[in-house]
Amino acid sequence: MTQSDDMLDDEDYPAYTMGRAAEIIGCSQDFLRRLGDAKLFDPQRSSGGHRRYSRYQLRLAARAREMCDQGTDIASACRIIILEDQLEEALRRNERYQQG
């Protein structure tokens, strides 16, 4: 596999500009900025200082958008998503521990 193939398959590779990420999620660029301010994720920056988002971050943003669309405030939505992800990771680690 070439390096570019590795980047395309990498969930954490910051492949999306803010404008494209907002378009994919169906939200405003300001919404993405506020997710960063709420510490849901910290987008990487291009050499020019522009925010770049990964597929993983887009999935988190989409979850936050759905929750906000249902009436949850952004800070609460971000905290819930962070806790859900922490729980999922803890369950994965526990499963690996029990198997090993």
Side-chain angles (χ1 to χ4, degrees):
M1 192 179 286
T2 66
Q3 184 179 358
S4 62
D5 290 339
D6 291 342
M7 288 185 279
L8 290 174
D9 292 336
D10 185 353
E11 292 285 311
D12 295 316
Y13 181 73
Y16 301 95
T17 63
M18 177 180 273
R20 182 69 179 127
E23 182 182 321
I24 290 169
I25 301 303
C27 66
S28 68
Q29 292 181 17
D30 183 59
F31 182 77
L32 291 175
R33 281 187 209 95
R34 292 187 308 160
L35 293 178
D37 293 344
K39 308 284 190 245
L40 181 59
F41 47 68
D42 186 20
Q44 289 189 352
R45 299 285 181 142
S46 69
S47 59
H50 301 283
R51 291 173 179 88
R52 303 285 295 192
Y53 297 88
S54 68
R55 289 188 308 194
Y56 174 72
Q57 291 170 331
L58 292 184
R59 280 197 305 277
L60 294 179
R63 287 167 61 191
R65 181 180 171 260
E66 288 174 12
M67 293 178 78
C68 291
D69 286 350
Q70 294 172 357
T72 305
D73 69 90
I74 197 165
S76 297
C78 290
R79 186 66 184 141
I80 289 166
I81 292 166
I82 290 167
L83 290 170
E84 287 174 344
D85 281 358
Q86 289 173 344
L87 175 59
E88 187 176 312
E89 178 60 25
L91 292 172
R92 276 195 302 269
R93 288 181 183 185
N94 189 35
E95 185 177 317
R96 282 193 306 263
Y97 175 76
Q98 290 178 353
Q99 292 174 352

